[in-house]
Amino acid sequence: MADGARPTPAALLAEIFGFPAFRPGQEEIVAAVSAGRDTLAIMPTGGGKSLCYQLPALCRPGVTLVISPLIALMRDQVRALGETGVEAGALTSGNSDEENAGVLRALDEGRLKLLYMAPERLASGATVSLLRRAGVSLIAVDEAHCVSQWGHDFRPDYLRIGELKRALNVPLAAFTATADEETRAEIVTRLFGAEAPATFLRGFDRPNIHLAFAPKDGPREQILRFAGARRGQSGIVYCGTRARTESLAAAMREAGHDALHYHGGMEAGERRAVEIRFQRDDGLIVVATVAFGMGIDKPDIRWVAHADLPKSIESYYQEIGRGGRDGAPAETLTLYGAEDIRYRRSQIDEGAAPVERKMADHGRLNALLGLAEALACRRQVLLGYFGETADPCGNCDLCESPPATFDATEAVRKALSAVLRTGESYGAGHLIDILTGSATEKVRARSHDQLPTFGVGRDLSKAAWNGVFLQMMGRDLLRPDIERHGALRMTEAARPVLRGEESVVLRRPQAPAPKYAVKALVAEEDAPLLSALKARRRALAEAAGVPAYVIFADRTLIEMATRRPETLDQMAGITGVGAKKLESYGLAFLDVIAGAAEAPHPARMALAGRSEGAVFDRLSAAQLRLARGPDGTGKHLSCTATTLRQIAERRPRTLAELERIQGMGPQKAERFGTAFLAILHGEGEG
């Protein structure tokens, strides 16, 4: 790179972070943020959004302020950046006075490129003057959906960010994985004001994540079997209640797993201890409510299970998205049952939101039921909800084992008729009693045993009818009516079915048993090496007091185990091995793969993985051959490794240019010049 030239994002991506290319969609976002445009980026969890503000921070003058909701996330990102050679700091309530003083000193000295801060710190009147003095030139907002007052992650202090942007008069880049259009509109209004930002909506597919659902049938045992097949892998189990997290974590420990529980009722110190252990330990399982996960930056979570149905399809997408953020395979299992649905419905009904919002939330829950009761590729259904089309993925339970189906048009029409004939005033249980001809006291008291629909559904059992109603809600043919305490109301989508204009195919009640076989991360012959690499990583991480993934992510170790690099040049070509990490850890991991490796001169190390490295080696070989002249009888001459590096990088074209390089001079230029120039410009092999 020429002296004084500002590095490009692509060059920094390779040199510092060790990635050969951007992920789809990243480059356009990085370009917009680097150019100082107000930007809103909606990216899937694990889509690489951190790089979309870290790279611009390194390309732009001044300091980039990163507003992030969790201290744990900020600390981990600062540590990870430090391992790549980037100076970053965080001002948090969890810092000691000495730590905060060190960050402020680094700011004053102009050393920091990124400053992380929790939104609560914006309430301090001194913050704006501090940021002005530090030379903040860009604000990046992580988890920007926290600005939404109706979201479960709402943080009131996020509402101050728009005011901060105006006070500093700098561009703002907001990032979120929330795909909901309503939330996106709220982010724009509250953070950007009148000027609409450049908006990027990344594709929502995470093809490395395997999707699976199963009806509840002894959920504790189902979760234990699923975890047992993945013993030793990091995982999260989400539960609907605090009590269930504690009981299920205890059951996991009894089964021999390393497992902890986590929920919002725990003391802050207890929660922090769980977060730290999860970030640092390989193979730990956390059984948690949704209080756990936002901001968890652990890239090697290999599986995510839901012991209870999530609250919406957006929540489901965010929660499973915490798995496989390194791009390596990850698996999911979501259990669901009638009790889950009742619980989620009651949560919506008892909330403080307006009626229209509650109806929309029931629609979101219906969309999740539609995913749970899907008949074909789940990824097609999931991406379809977000407005995307896709081919069958081959990486979900339904692609692997399609369910048995039946033509349910008549059954659905009977159910819709029962809904209408009872004035859309009753829930599924009462309607099923009518359809199956069960003359309960409630049915008789309302004379519903006199309806034409009474007993017309005796061909199906009550359990089968429950499945029909569940799938009808999953198709959004029926929706609970808030103002009638959850009575089922027919939607517009149901009218063509009722009129006989559309047919309906549903899943048969007997669902196939879920498979619990674990997918191998590497081929069988590479598994022992991967284990050895993980052991070396764990030892280095413990010595440095950092999470294992800060050294290298699973994905990087998997590539090492598969490709088996034998030199530092080859190691530099492994995804995730940047220049600083190559220098810090390259030899340690080469030692595991290929045995003891001799450390090269620092000048040669600096060229590892670059084309100049091969040129350096050829120059070195030519120098050795000509050290005593062409005939081997002359005075011994040699160039230092630093001189050879300068020649390899600057590529002089003439003997006069070569002679001017520090450490050469006329005598060495005469001895080595012809051979060196031939190597540099392809006229010979040297």
Side-chain angles (χ1 to χ4, degrees), residues 633-682:
T633 61
K635 177 186 174 185
H636 186 277
L637 292 176
S638 66
C639 303
T640 66
T642 302
T643 298
L644 293 180
R645 175 187 172 182
Q646 289 184 64
I647 296 169
E649 289 183 320
R650 291 166 60 176
R651 295 179 182 262
R653 302 200 67 85
T654 65
L655 283 173
E657 289 179 10
L658 180 66
E659 188 177 319
R660 286 197 292 272
I661 287 181
Q662 186 175 2
M664 282 299 292
Q667 196 175 11
K668 291 179 185 177
E670 182 181 354
R671 173 74 60 85
F672 305 119
T674 303
F676 280 9
L677 291 175
I679 290 168
L680 292 170
H681 304 295

Side-chain angles (χ1 to χ4, degrees), residues 17 86 106 146 201 240 276 291 300 308 318 371 376 418 443 507 567 670:
F17 297 99
V86 174
C146 292
L201 184 59
I276 290 171
D300 56 352
D308 302 300
Q318 273 204 321
L371 181 61
V443 168
R507 176 201 294 264
T567 66
E670 182 181 354

Side-chain angles (χ1 to χ4, degrees), residues 375 405-418 435 456 459-460 465 468 471-472 475 477 493-507:
L375 304 180
T405 60
F406 73 108
D407 185 340
T409 308
E410 279 306 307
V412 170
R413 291 180 70 190
K414 289 173 183 177
L416 292 173
S417 177
L435 289 164
V456 297
D459 55 323
L460 294 179
W465 274 113
V468 169
Q471 292 181 74
M472 287 174 70
R475 301 288 186 89
L477 303 176
R495 298 194 184 281
V497 179
L498 191 62
R499 291 194 297 262
E501 297 166 3
E502 288 184 8
S503 60
V504 181
V505 174
L506 297 181
R507 176 201 294 264

Side-chain angles (χ1 to χ4, degrees), residues 4 16 39 44 99 104 110 303 305 343 381 384 417 481 526 545 547 575:
I16 293 178
T39 304
E99 286 173 324
L104 294 173
W303 57 269
Y343 173 67
V381 176
S417 177
D481 189 331
D526 296 325
T575 304

Side-chain angles (χ1 to χ4, degrees), residues 372-384:
E373 295 288 351
L375 304 180
C377 177
R378 293 198 194 276
R379 189 165 267 100
Q380 286 183 312
V381 176
L382 179 62
L383 294 177

